[in-house]
Amino acid sequence: QVQLVQSGAEVKKPGASVKVSCKASGYTFTSYGISWVRQAPGQGLEWMGWISAYNGNTNYAQKLQGRVTMTTDTSTSTAYMELRSLRSDDTAVYYCARVKHRNLDYWGQGTLVTVSS
Amino acid sequence: DIVMTQTPLSLSVTPGQPASISCKSSQSLLHSDGKTYLYWYLQKPGQSPQLLIYEVSNRFSGVPDRFSGSGSGTDFTLKISRVEAEDVGVYYCMQSIQPLFGPGTKVDIK
């Protein structure tokens, strides 16, 4: 069965960086993309961007351009999302989701990132 | 930029009764490839979002047939024919032309 297992919770100081991983199993990793979505406490869902696991092409949300980098490691079927220059409003649960034809069909369990001094 | 709205933002439903959520987009979601990229997700309390409906009206694998989606262009609707207790949570529509989620509709049981 399709599974996306994310790395554990992180606590970071303002200005630092965080890298969240998303390990995929149960399907051919390179046949799909991975999107990242975040959810601030008590808020709705925010799409952050997408990466093709086939060729590494990316598409980032405009508001995060320059601060976010999405990568994949096809040898381990793992996707990564790095966010730099963290601010308090980056505190959120970060989700990865499998993507095919723009469809986010399976989601990871989420990773809480807390930014606090 | 495309703007997504949902109505209502909250809904309290008696079990066994129907429910309906509207989602409107500021621009048509009909892509040049002929597909309409409108999706519905449910986020149950304490859980990750789960896909219910893709491309307006297609139920995802394992989704009960009491859920149905309809609409075209800029106006879309999610209907639950008979609400059950397990249907509580926040329902989001999402468009993936310029990926963006709606604000969400919180559904609870009376």
Side-chain angles (χ1 to χ4, degrees):
Chain A
Q1 72 284 21
V2 176
Q3 278 196 304
L4 298 173
V5 179
Q6 299 183 223
S7 49
E10 304 261 14
V11 179
K12 297 291 182 181
K13 293 194 182 302
S17 298
V18 68
K19 193 169 186 177
V20 179
S21 68
C22 170
K23 183 170 177 58
S25 61
Y27 71 96
T28 302
F29 184 66
T30 51
S31 294
Y32 293 79
I34 295 286
S35 269
W36 291 88
V37 174
R38 69 180 179 177
Q39 186 171 38
Q43 302 300 309
L45 301 171
E46 178 185 11
W47 182 83
M48 300 178 66
W50 164 89
I51 181 167
S52 165
Y54 173 71
N55 59 17
N57 286 350
T58 55
N59 179 23
Y60 300 140
Q62 192 169 5
K63 72 175 282 189
L64 296 174
Q65 289 272 4
R67 286 209 300 139
V68 68
T69 301
M70 297 175 188
T71 57
T72 59
D73 181 344
T74 56
S75 68
T76 59
S77 298
T78 302
Y80 298 92
M81 185 284 300
E82 182 181 32
L83 189 61
R84 299 176 293 279
S85 301
L86 289 169
R87 309 186 289 246
S88 58
D89 62 356
D90 291 318
T91 293
V93 175
Y94 288 76
Y95 296 100
C96 62
R98 190 181 78 161
V99 180
K100 186 77 167 181
H101 302 309
R102 302 173 183 257
N103 184 15
L104 283 65
D105 57 3
Y106 290 93
W107 294 59
Q109 84 277 18
T111 297
L112 175 62
V113 175
T114 303
V115 183
S116 174
S117 55
Chain B
D1 289 356
I2 299 177
V3 177
M4 303 293 289
T5 58
Q6 287 182 233
T7 54
L9 295 182
S10 66
L11 191 55
S12 191
V13 188
T14 301
Q17 293 301 301
S20 180
I21 300 170
S22 171
C23 173
K24 294 184 188 297
S25 171
S26 60
Q27 298 178 29
S28 174
L29 302 182
L30 176 61
H31 194 268
S32 56
D33 64 7
K35 294 184 178 181
T36 301
Y37 292 106
L38 188 283
Y39 305 84
W40 290 96
Y41 295 88
L42 166 59
Q43 186 174 31
K44 295 182 178 181
Q47 296 186 18
S48 303
Q50 58 189 83
L51 177 65
L52 296 175
I53 302 287
Y54 65 96
E55 293 170 16
V56 180
S57 59
N58 299 283
R59 270 188 306 276
F60 186 56
S61 174
V63 174
D65 62 6
R66 64 179 181 275
F67 291 93
S68 64
S70 63
S72 64
T74 61
D75 289 358
F76 305 93
T77 302
L78 175 71
K79 292 183 178 178
I80 311 172
S81 59
R82 293 174 303 280
V83 172
E84 297 187 6
E86 66 182 24
D87 300 335
V88 299
V90 181
Y91 290 77
Y92 295 94
C93 60
M94 178 200 176
Q95 58 84 7
S96 55
I97 302 287
Q98 303 168 12
L100 179 68
F101 292 89
T105 296
K106 185 174 183 179
V107 173
D108 62 23
I109 298 296
K110 279 184 182 174

